[in-house]
Amino acid sequence: MTPLIQSGKLIALTLIGFLLVCFIQSARSNEPIDGVVEEEPNVTQPYDFNLDGHTDFVLNRGPQTAIWYLDTTVFLSGALGPTLPPFGWRLIDAADFNGDGHPDYALFNNSTRQTAIWYLNNNVLITGVYGPTVPAGWALVAVGDFNGDGKQDYVLYNSNTRQTAIWYLNNNVLLSGGFGPTLPFLWQIMGTADFNLDGHADYLLFNTNTGQTAIWYMSGRTRVGAVYAPPVGTGFYKLKGAADYSGDGYPDYVLFNISTHETLILFLHNNVLIGSGFGPTLPADWTLTLP
């Protein structure tokens, strides 16, 4: 079964109240939480591969990738994407690096620490280039525009020190970089998105022990605020990232059930849960990769 023949469906979900209660009653870590100022939404969709104004899914089955085109939570159609190269290469994120409006693949090689960018037109690989090589002990974990220059930047993470770093890029060229905030114990960075709509990418964090999520508001490499966000638990549903699926400009959480292959989208307004809905169910041999 391939993602080209999966039928779409929308299933009403009534977990909103339960999740809100969990959010209010969830255990707090010792990391300080600060206030934040909201701004008006920006409706840019970073994972919109066919440029129809709706955020899409990226799937993988081993090295093969596929793109599922969505309208909010409804599956419209699917297409195979490029196959990843062998020998340690992984798809980390997707964003528009060359400014043509189409999301591109950001790849990382675990063995050589080399990065690469694959330029796409929708689901078609046009060409690829190497990006900067990451130092020993570090890994590429996410992509986002942190300095507001309209260019995508790298987020690096050192698992030994829990230190993050941000490398400012112009397309695939490293311009400058420096340390970002250090993550607390048991917290992971799950992706980036502009949750408070200030034009700067923020960190999405997940506590592997409690299932709590948090958003760290960033300005460049500096953390300027932090809030808790809805908990997602530590069961079969795994937090995959955040992107705007409702079209209101605010990033939403995307979860993937590793047992049933169901997808679930939690609709957010900044860090506040306002609704939820099931997305399409993936075939048994495919995994949700992005966001």
Side-chain angles (χ1 to χ4, degrees), residues 19-288:
L19 288 170
L20 286 171
V21 170
C22 290
F23 171 50
I24 295 171
Q25 296 180 345
S26 60
R28 299 301 192 234
S29 77
N30 59 5
E31 181 66 15
I33 299 298
D34 311 312
V36 62
V37 178
E38 295 185 5
E39 298 187 5
E40 291 301 311
N42 182 327
V43 295
T44 300
Q45 310 289 7
Y47 298 101
D48 180 11
F49 286 86
N50 59 348
L51 306 184
D52 66 349
H54 299 285
T55 305
D56 305 313
F57 281 172
V58 180
L59 287 60
N60 80 284
R61 180 178 60 186
Q64 178 68 65
T65 69
I67 298 170
W68 275 15
Y69 305 109
L70 304 184
D71 183 347
T72 311
T73 59
V74 178
F75 174 81
L76 301 179
S77 63
L80 293 178
T83 300
L84 303 182
F87 309 118
W89 287 95
R90 292 189 298 127
L91 175 59
I92 302 299
D93 211 336
D96 180 16
F97 283 88
N98 60 351
D100 67 351
H102 293 275
D104 308 307
Y105 282 2
L107 308 182
F108 176 67
N109 190 300
N110 292 324
S111 300
T112 65
R113 303 186 308 279
Q114 179 73 58
T115 69
I117 298 168
W118 278 10
Y119 301 113
L120 304 184
N121 185 332
N122 199 334
N123 64 310
V124 178
L125 174 63
I126 305 301
T127 187
V129 294
Y130 286 115
T133 300
V134 175
W138 292 80
L140 176 64
V141 294
V143 167
D145 179 13
F146 285 86
N147 57 352
D149 66 352
K151 308 290 186 180
Q152 300 301 319
D153 309 310
Y154 281 178
V155 181
L156 309 183
Y157 179 65
N158 188 312
S159 60
N160 294 319
T161 64
R162 302 193 303 277
Q163 178 78 56
T164 67
I166 296 173
W167 279 8
Y168 299 116
L169 304 183
N170 183 353
N171 201 332
N172 66 315
V173 178
L174 176 63
L175 301 179
S176 64
F179 290 124
T182 300
L183 302 188
F185 183 62
L186 294 178
W187 288 83
Q188 294 180 345
I189 184 166
M190 302 302 298
T192 71
D194 183 7
F195 287 91
N196 60 347
L197 309 181
D198 65 350
H200 298 275
D202 307 309
Y203 283 4
L204 169 58
L205 303 184
F206 172 72
N207 188 302
T208 57
N209 185 50
T210 67
Q212 178 69 57
T213 69
I215 299 165
W216 279 9
Y217 302 110
M218 305 289 293
S219 178
R221 295 184 291 107
T222 304
R223 195 191 82 169
V224 297
V227 291
Y228 286 108
V232 298
T234 58
F236 287 120
Y237 274 100
K238 303 300 181 183
L239 180 63
K240 301 300 292 187
D244 177 22
Y245 284 87
S246 63
D248 65 355
Y250 288 94
D252 309 306
Y253 283 1
V254 181
L255 283 69
F256 176 66
N257 189 309
I258 59 175
S259 176
T260 65
H261 284 231
E262 291 176 297
T263 62
L264 175 64
I265 298 175
L266 304 184
F267 300 113
L268 303 183
H269 183 105
N270 199 333
N271 67 312
V272 178
L273 177 67
I274 60 173
S276 55
F278 282 114
T281 299
L282 276 59
D285 51 349
W286 290 82
T287 299
L288 183 64

